[in-house]
């Protein structure tokens, strides 16, 4: 099968949910994907923040082979050898106490929402005054299931499926006054992505995060930090909330946790966990021996290869180089992000689309989010030389986009 025949078959057989790029990848190695014609692509997106260790990483290959020969699935009715070791690693690096494993990000987020409701119910049974509502942020993205879309800001993702979960109010991003006005004893959880991903790579401010923590402490509501995109090392710390020195009550993980094997996790404090008893929540696949074994290999490799340090140094270099480009090109409005979660905002959606396509033509994979933002979520094993390649291509594509139109999108002064 070639690309054209696959496209034709998919158009008749699949639900029409994705606008795919016309590329057919067959293999991958390191930070490169290889297409059907044997052409290599520098991958600065890593499967939307998933392939943290890149492609064909020996530690992942070894874990996959080993565990597939031992045991893939038994159900959560029985114990297996990897659950506790993985949960121990996750609790140690997060500062939280307990883990619930899922198959995806949105399931982890649903578990977080349910936990906030259950926690409020437990507090009410103790005579505390706490309701069932949630506060979420403008530009937020928490997934596609009903609770997740209810806490996701973009109308387009919610409107066709109304009514979604009621009781969610959106707070203006980083607006502490708005947060304080909208918070009350009616709220059982505040939903925050410490660095918003789909929303355009926007870090929450220290002041806003601290205010959310303080408000939750005042009533017993839970502070829910969605780290599905920004967590597990992507920002150079295990969790983005660690940049703020704020511990949430709950955090969610998914994307990179098992390097492409579907998996997610919700982590919480012992206090929040008290509201859950057997049978209240569960999953068939979540936390099976196969996914857990791969997740252990991911965490151990990040630790053994000192990748958090590499993410910090290569990420800072990438950020600096993007900022230098911004200084040269008026069409770049902003450079944002931490570690290897970076965004370059351009002054128009058309331009961002044009640049993303031009980079793809040069075999560099980036993605456009929030219309005007080029998003970089490369594998954690990215090196400075890859950044140099990307920056050179970006500079050239921006200049080319303005070719024939003076002054070529470049700064003529200053
Ligand atoms: C912050 C955040 N939360 C939740 C999700 C949903 O994860 P999944 O697509 O695995 O359900 C995503 C996915 O992009 C995300 O970025």
């Amino acid at each position: 099968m070639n690309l054209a025949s696959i496209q034709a078959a998919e158009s008749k057989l699949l639900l029409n949910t994705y606008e795919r790029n016309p590329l057919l990848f067959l293999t991958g190695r390191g930070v490169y994907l290889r297409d059907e014609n044997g052409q290599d692509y520098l991958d600065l997106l890593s499967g939307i923040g998933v392939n943290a260790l890149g492609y064909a990483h020996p530690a992942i290959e070894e874990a996959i082979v080993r565990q597939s020969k031992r045991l893939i699935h038994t159900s959560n009715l029985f114990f297996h050898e990897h659950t506790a070791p993985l949960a121990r690693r996750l609790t140690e690096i997060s500062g939280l106490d307990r883990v619930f494993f899922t198959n995806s990000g949105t399931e982890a987020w649903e578990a977080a929402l349910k936990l906030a409701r259950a926690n409020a119910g437990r507090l009410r049974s103790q005579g505390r005054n706490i309701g069932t509502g949630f506060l979420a942020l403008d530009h937020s993205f928490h997934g596609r299931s009903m609770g997740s879309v209810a806490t996701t800001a973009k109308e387009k993702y919610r409107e066709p499926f109304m009514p979604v979960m009621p009781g969610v109010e959106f707070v203006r991003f980083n607006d502490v006054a708005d947060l304080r006005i909208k918070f009350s004893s009616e709220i059982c959880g505040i939903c925050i992505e410490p660095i918003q991903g789909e929303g355009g790579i926007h870090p929450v401010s220290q002041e806003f995060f601290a205010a959310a923590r303080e408000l939750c402490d005042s009533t017993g509501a839970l502070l829910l930090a969605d780290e599905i995109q920004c967590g597990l090392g992507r920002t150079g710390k295990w969790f983005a909330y660690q940049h703020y020195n704020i511990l949430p009550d709950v955090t969610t993980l998914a994307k990179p946790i098992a390097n492409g094997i579907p998996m997610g996790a919700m982590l919480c404090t012992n206090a929040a966990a008290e509201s859950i008893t057997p049978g209240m929540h569960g999953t068939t696949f979540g936390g099976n021996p196969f996914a857990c074994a791969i997740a252990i290999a991911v965490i151990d490799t990040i630790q053994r290869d000192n990748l958090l340090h590499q993410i910090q140094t290569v990420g800072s270099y990438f950020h600096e180089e993007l900022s230098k480009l911004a200084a040269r090109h008026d069409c770049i409005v902003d450079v944002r992000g931490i570690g290897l979660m970076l965004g370059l905002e351009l002054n128009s959606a058309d331009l961002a689309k044009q640049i993303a396509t031009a980079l793809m033509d040069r075999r560099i994979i980036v993605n456009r989010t929030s219309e005007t933002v080029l998003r970089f979520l490369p594998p954690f094993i990215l090196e400075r030389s890859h950044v140099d390649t990307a920056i050179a291509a970006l500079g050239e594509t921006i200049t080319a986009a303005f070719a024939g139109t003076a002054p070529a999108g470049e700064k003529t002064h200053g």
Side-chain angles (χ1 to χ4, degrees), residues 137-141 153-154 170 173 193 196-200 202 370:
L137 268 57
D138 277 355
H139 317 300
S140 59
F141 183 85
K154 214 183 227 180
F170 290 93
F173 187 70
E193 287 163 86
Q196 291 187 332
E198 303 294 315
H202 289 283
S370 205

Side-chain angles (χ1 to χ4, degrees), residues 111-342:
L113 297 174
K114 286 175 79 175
L115 185 64
R117 284 270 174 89
N119 177 67
R122 180 178 63 95
L123 295 179
R124 276 195 302 279
S125 72
Q126 297 167 357
R128 301 265 294 270
N129 177 21
I130 179 165
T132 56
F134 288 95
L135 293 182
L137 268 57
D138 277 355
H139 317 300
S140 59
F141 183 85
H142 296 290
R144 304 292 195 149
S145 49
M146 281 296 187
S148 298
V149 283
T151 48
T152 288
K154 214 183 227 180
E155 291 271 355
K156 182 178 145 187
Y157 296 156
R158 264 183 295 129
E159 234 359 87
F161 310 108
M162 293 301 265
V164 294
M165 178 182 76
V168 182
E169 199 171 358
F170 290 93
V171 175
R172 283 198 294 274
F173 187 70
N174 279 342
D175 187 332
V176 176
D178 197 38
L179 175 67
R180 290 191 185 282
I181 288 167
K182 289 177 177 157
F183 187 84
S184 72
S185 59
E186 268 310 301
I187 300 301
C188 70
I190 301 183
C191 309
I192 290 183
E193 287 163 86
I195 302 177
Q196 291 187 332
E198 303 294 315
I201 315 293
H202 289 283
V204 79
S205 71
Q206 179 75 40
E207 199 194 0
F208 189 89
F209 211 167
R213 179 68 279 175
E214 175 214 312
L215 290 168
C216 285
D217 287 340
S218 71
T219 63
L222 298 185
L223 180 58
L224 313 176
D226 182 344
E227 296 248 355
I228 287 163
Q229 194 162 141
C230 61
L232 216 79
R234 172 140 311 273
T235 65
K237 288 190 188 276
W238 282 114
F239 290 83
Y241 59 73
Q242 291 163 342
H243 291 283
Y244 298 82
N245 268 324
I246 289 173
L247 186 65
D249 302 292
V250 178
T251 194
T252 48
L253 287 173
K255 292 182 178 290
I257 190 169
N259 209 64
I261 304 302
M263 190 183 207
M266 182 209 64
L267 284 70
C268 65
T269 59
N270 274 328
E274 272 176 37
S275 53
I276 299 291
T277 53
M280 273 175 77
H281 193 55
T283 158
T284 298
F285 292 115
N288 77 20
F290 187 69
C292 286
I294 314 306
I296 288 173
V298 168
I299 293 173
D300 289 354
T301 304
I302 293 174
Q303 261 159 350
R304 189 198 60 214
D305 294 352
N306 209 4
L307 288 180
L308 293 187
H309 179 70
Q310 183 168 335
I311 292 163
Q312 286 162 20
T313 53
V314 177
S316 301
Y317 178 65
F318 203 164
H319 200 296
E320 279 161 28
E321 292 299 308
L322 289 172
S323 301
K324 283 186 204 161
L325 265 189
R328 287 205 300 276
H329 297 279
D330 277 332
C331 62
I332 300 176
V333 179
D334 201 8
V335 177
R336 294 187 292 269
I338 313 177
L340 289 176
M341 180 172 187
L342 298 170

